[in-house]
Amino acid sequence: MATVAKVNGKAHVTELDALSDAMEREYALACGDGSTAVAKDTILKTQFAQLTDLSARNTTAIKQDAVVSTLDEVDGKRDSVTRDLFTLSTGYTASPFAEVKAAAQDVCAVLEKYGRTMTSKGYAKQTALTESLLEDLGADKIAAQVKSLAGVTELVASLRKAQDSFAAAHDGYIKAKAGKGESASSLKKPLVSLLNDNIVPYLNIVAAIEGYTDFIAAIAGNIKKTNDTVARRAAGKKSGDSAE
């Protein structure tokens, strides 16, 4: 007879999300055509309805949190390209070739209108400044100067791409922010509580009853898999601490 262990409370929200999804699949499978012992168990029906609700909300919250993280990432890439553009263009002003130096000075005159500190501005301000900068660098005379400086043309194109990526990510961020009501971290405690205080104890009570064996063994296996993942992560951290 399988014994169902409690879920390790140190599991990540993504691990809990995967576990709850797996448990829902096992429950649906065990219910079959509705004539099984699991399907007829009204207590399990209520518990798994609660699990389905919490799991769905947790999945949504995780996706929304990921959108915010993506926005920070694409902004960082835009900052990096912007800084490289300033650095390379400035370097060309020291060229011993008069034409290259003159072209670089013209490009730098445009860049100096915005300044390197544009990367430290807020999202909206930096986006507006970047669009304006790209427009200025695309003007006929300056575009020719940019093209004459190896690498600068490529960086301007990269900045355009980074700006577009940021705009797309920002649109996703606004949508996620508008619909965000819960964070994944706020759902972790009620999810763990439902599992450890309700579902797991009940499964251990009915474990000896005919018709529950395969279902309980499957649930126990899924929880063990999650707990093993948490244990390996903890062991890895301890190993890293010892190495230091």
Side-chain angles (χ1 to χ4, degrees):
M1 181 179 69
T3 299
V4 186
K6 289 188 174 183
V7 179
N8 191 319
K10 293 183 179 179
H12 290 169
V13 290
T14 50
E15 292 163 348
L16 290 172
D17 192 52
L19 172 61
S20 58
D21 287 347
M23 289 177 64
E24 288 174 49
R25 290 193 295 271
E26 296 295 350
Y27 178 70
L29 182 64
C31 285
D33 60 3
S35 64
T36 66
V38 173
K40 294 177 180 179
D41 191 316
T42 56
I43 293 177
L44 277 180
K45 183 177 182 180
T46 299
Q47 290 178 341
F48 272 80
Q50 294 173 340
L51 180 63
T52 298
D53 174 62
L54 279 173
S55 178
R57 287 156 56 191
N58 187 50
T59 299
T60 298
I62 288 171
K63 290 179 179 178
Q64 291 172 337
D65 289 346
V67 168
V68 176
S69 177
T70 298
L71 183 64
D72 291 337
E73 181 181 339
V74 294
D75 180 54
K77 290 181 179 179
R78 181 174 64 173
D79 289 347
S80 179
V81 175
T82 301
R83 286 191 290 267
D84 288 346
L85 176 60
F86 273 84
T87 299
L88 182 59
S89 299
T90 300
Y92 275 120
T93 62
S95 173
F97 302 103
E99 289 186 0
V100 173
K101 184 173 184 177
Q105 288 174 334
D106 287 343
V107 172
C108 284
V110 173
L111 295 176
E112 286 168 7
K113 288 170 52 181
Y114 300 89
R116 291 174 182 264
T117 57
M118 65 183 287
T119 58
S120 64
K121 305 296 182 182
Y123 288 154
K125 182 67 173 178
Q126 184 179 349
T127 295
L129 289 172
T130 301
E131 283 295 343
S132 182
L133 172 60
L134 287 167
E135 184 178 344
D136 285 352
L137 291 174
D140 291 341
K141 179 182 178 181
I142 294 300
Q145 303 288 53
V146 167
K147 191 174 182 179
S148 70
L149 302 174
V152 174
T153 298
E154 290 76 9
L155 283 174
V156 171
S158 294
L159 182 57
R160 175 72 270 168
K161 184 177 180 180
Q163 174 79 341
D164 291 343
S165 295
F166 179 84
H170 191 262
D171 287 343
Y173 167 75
I174 294 300
K175 292 178 181 177
K177 187 176 180 180
K180 193 172 181 62
E182 302 170 296
S183 66
S185 59
S186 72
L187 291 166
K188 179 179 179 179
K189 187 174 181 179
L191 186 51
V192 171
S193 178
L194 174 63
L195 292 169
N196 288 346
D197 299 335
N198 297 88
I199 295 178
V200 168
Y202 184 72
L203 290 178
N204 283 323
I205 290 173
V206 300
I209 300 176
E210 185 178 354
Y212 288 86
T213 304
D214 291 344
F215 171 61
I216 290 176
I219 295 297
N222 280 297
I223 292 178
K224 182 180 184 303
K225 181 179 179 181
T226 299
N227 287 345
D228 287 347
T229 298
V230 177
R232 284 194 297 271
R233 182 167 60 248
K237 288 183 178 180
K238 288 181 180 180
S239 176
D241 291 342
S242 298
E244 291 177 359

